[in-house]
Amino acid sequence: MKVFVDSDVVISSLISNTGAASELINNLDIKKIISNLSIKESEIVKLRLNINKPLPMLETIVIDNVKKYSTYSIDPNDAHIVAGADQAKVRFLITYNLKHYKIDKIKRDLNIIIMTPGMFLQYLRLSDKID
């Protein structure tokens, strides 16, 4: 399974080794994808928060045509996250910023489900019990 992760999830995984973000980032069964723009964003936040840990090694994609995704986010600066998830062809976008996105529109138009790391891990645990 592959997911697209927002930079807030990456930063959270660096801050705490015990939270849902860390559990997700360190799960070897899940392919985590991030965009080139999110990597830059993560580096800036790392410096601002004085985090000395390296960013995790995630598959990185270079995104294009971000502008066409602006209708999917409340904040135009978050359109690149939706663009990355769509262009990575993932089913799940993992973020702590649920309020920044038009969740129903993204699910309807792009078939991408937006969840927090904790919600996604619960989903995985439930789906394992069903199988």
Side-chain angles (χ1 to χ4, degrees):
M1 175 175 297
K2 63 182 183 173
V3 300
F4 190 88
V5 293
D6 195 346
S7 57
D8 63 344
V9 175
V10 173
I11 294 299
S12 182
S13 76
L14 296 176
I15 292 171
S16 171
N17 294 329
T18 59
S22 182
E23 185 177 338
L24 172 67
I25 294 295
N26 292 310
N27 186 322
L28 299 177
D29 295 328
I30 302 168
K31 182 177 184 178
K32 281 81 56 185
I33 303 170
I34 195 167
S35 75
N36 57 321
L37 297 176
S38 290
I39 292 280
K40 287 179 187 176
E41 190 174 69
S42 297
E43 289 290 357
I44 292 166
V45 173
K46 251 182 59 163
L47 286 172
R48 190 176 71 231
L49 297 178
N50 200 25
I51 298 171
N52 295 318
K53 296 179 183 178
L55 291 176
M57 297 301 295
L58 305 176
E59 181 178 326
T60 304
I61 64 164
V62 176
I63 56 173
D64 58 10
N65 200 7
V66 173
K67 195 172 191 176
K68 86 174 199 179
Y69 294 93
S70 61
T71 62
Y72 294 103
S73 62
I74 306 303
D75 180 349
N77 293 324
D78 287 326
H80 72 96
I81 301 297
V82 180
D86 189 46
Q87 292 173 27
K89 298 186 181 353
V90 298
R91 181 85 168 102
F92 298 96
L93 188 166
I94 311 301
T95 182
Y96 283 108
N97 296 324
L98 298 177
K99 292 181 181 178
H100 291 200
Y101 303 99
K102 298 177 183 175
I103 294 172
D104 294 333
K105 181 176 174 58
I106 292 168
K107 183 169 182 354
R108 182 183 65 244
D109 296 354
L110 306 175
N111 200 30
I112 296 172
I113 299 169
I114 300 179
M115 296 181 169
T116 65
M119 292 165 63
F120 181 70
L121 293 172
Q122 278 186 318
Y123 166 81
L124 289 180
R125 289 180 190 118
L126 288 173
S127 63
D128 281 346
K129 290 180 181 181
I130 295 170
D131 291 343

